[in-house]
Amino acid sequence: MRPALSFSVRPRRVLAALGAIILVLLVFSVIGRYSTHLLGHGRLLGFVHGFNVDGEGNVPAHFSALMLLSVSILAGVIASWVRRTDGLFYGHWVGLALIFIVLAADELNSFHERLTVPMRTLLNVEDGLLFFTWVVPGMAVVALFGLAYARFLWHLPDRWKTLFVVSGITFVAGAVGVELLGGWYVSTHRDWTIVYPLIAALEEGLEMIGTAMFLYALLDYLQDRVGAISVSFASETGAPGSPEQRRSRVERSRMKTVA
């Protein structure tokens, strides 16, 4: 094996880079909303939709999904390491990996929003904090998650217990808490133009910050357990299509010709 590319992963640098990207996305989104509702320019060659943090299938949505997927992968890596060591809470780590795969898919497709209409009918709610009624099953899922992972969190060392809890609270505060505020504002003022985009930016910003913090926490936890984290890409000598194998095929062809 010949290493072609190798680099170290430093949790603090990753967090700083993610924080900078999140800030840029939020600023771009606010600029786009300002251009749309105050200047009357709603496209700007695709910039407005492309950087709208409350939109789907655009840069912020794909960035958030990539972060969530990265969390899932890291949780899976930690689960694999736990299985080879003491096996403690292996199922919880696997559960985290699966949960964040679902969250990444939801980020791209907004499955949760499809619950709003049936939940409005079921609860007979039209206005107020529950205007976006998907938050009701959302809060139930959060409560179940808290019960299922209480012992897992309790057994974590204090440093990561704090990081996990703070990142989780930040994410839920955006996904559910600010969504409740946004629902109340829209149902009361019937205004989607100026204030609501700022509320949506706060919501998505807290979600992205919470995810970035959790990603950092997992990297920091993994680094503490296994040492320095590095990523390497290598090319295998003699692999199909490699120069070595092509020379070997040429030599065999010459030998057959001579024979």
Side-chain angles (χ1 to χ4, degrees):
M1 300 282 288
R2 297 181 304 174
L5 177 64
S6 178
F7 59 90
S8 298
V9 178
R10 300 173 185 254
R12 289 184 181 274
R13 290 186 180 181
V14 171
L15 181 61
L18 293 176
I21 294 172
I22 291 168
L23 179 61
V24 169
L25 292 176
L26 291 174
V27 170
F28 281 5
S29 180
V30 171
I31 290 173
R33 297 293 91 193
Y34 175 84
S35 172
T36 299
H37 299 298
L38 296 181
L39 301 181
H41 302 293
R43 294 181 58 84
L44 293 181
L45 300 177
F47 176 89
V48 173
H49 170 72
F51 288 95
N52 179 13
V53 293
D54 198 34
E56 298 179 13
N58 57 11
V59 175
H62 283 91
F63 173 72
S64 295
L66 182 60
M67 281 202 299
L68 292 165
L69 183 60
S70 298
V71 169
S72 174
I73 292 171
L74 275 176
V77 169
I78 295 174
S80 178
W81 175 81
V82 166
R83 187 177 185 182
R84 293 197 302 270
T85 54
D86 57 12
L88 187 63
F89 295 112
Y90 166 73
H92 288 76
W93 287 109
V94 172
L96 279 177
L98 295 176
I99 287 169
F100 277 89
I101 285 179
V102 173
L103 288 175
D106 181 72
E107 185 63 35
L108 290 175
N109 298 281
S110 297
F111 296 127
H112 65 279
E113 293 183 0
R114 301 176 190 178
L115 296 173
T116 297
V117 173
M119 288 304 299
R120 276 181 186 165
T121 303
L122 179 64
L123 299 176
N124 193 26
V125 174
E126 293 292 337
D127 298 306
L129 289 172
L130 298 181
F131 180 75
F132 299 121
T133 46
W134 72 263
V135 297
V136 175
M139 289 187 289
V141 169
V142 170
L144 289 174
F145 177 85
L147 291 174
Y149 276 79
R151 197 165 70 92
F152 168 82
L153 289 170
W154 181 258
H155 281 80
L156 284 173
D158 289 341
R159 171 178 173 78
W160 295 287
K161 186 186 300 180
T162 301
L163 285 171
F164 281 29
V165 170
V166 171
S167 61
I169 290 175
T170 303
F171 183 90
V172 173
V176 177
V178 180
E179 186 83 334
L180 290 170
L181 174 63
W184 168 82
Y185 179 82
V186 168
S187 66
T188 302
H189 297 86
R190 302 297 173 183
D191 175 24
W192 297 81
T193 58
I194 305 298
V195 177
Y196 178 75
L198 296 177
I199 295 174
L202 175 61
E203 173 196 337
E204 297 296 332
L206 287 174
E207 288 184 28
M208 288 191 283
I209 291 170
T211 305
M213 290 174 60
F214 194 50
L215 186 58
Y216 164 77
L218 292 179
L219 284 171
D220 190 64
Y221 182 86
L222 187 61
Q223 180 176 263
D224 181 79
R225 292 296 184 267
V226 304
I229 304 171
S230 62
V231 178
S232 298
F233 299 92
S235 59
E236 184 177 352
T237 302
S242 66
E244 290 82 358
Q245 187 166 13
R246 288 197 295 270
R247 284 196 295 269
S248 176
R249 288 199 297 265
V250 170
E251 290 173 0
R252 287 197 301 270
S253 177
R254 288 176 178 172
M255 290 175 64
K256 290 180 181 179
T257 302
V258 172

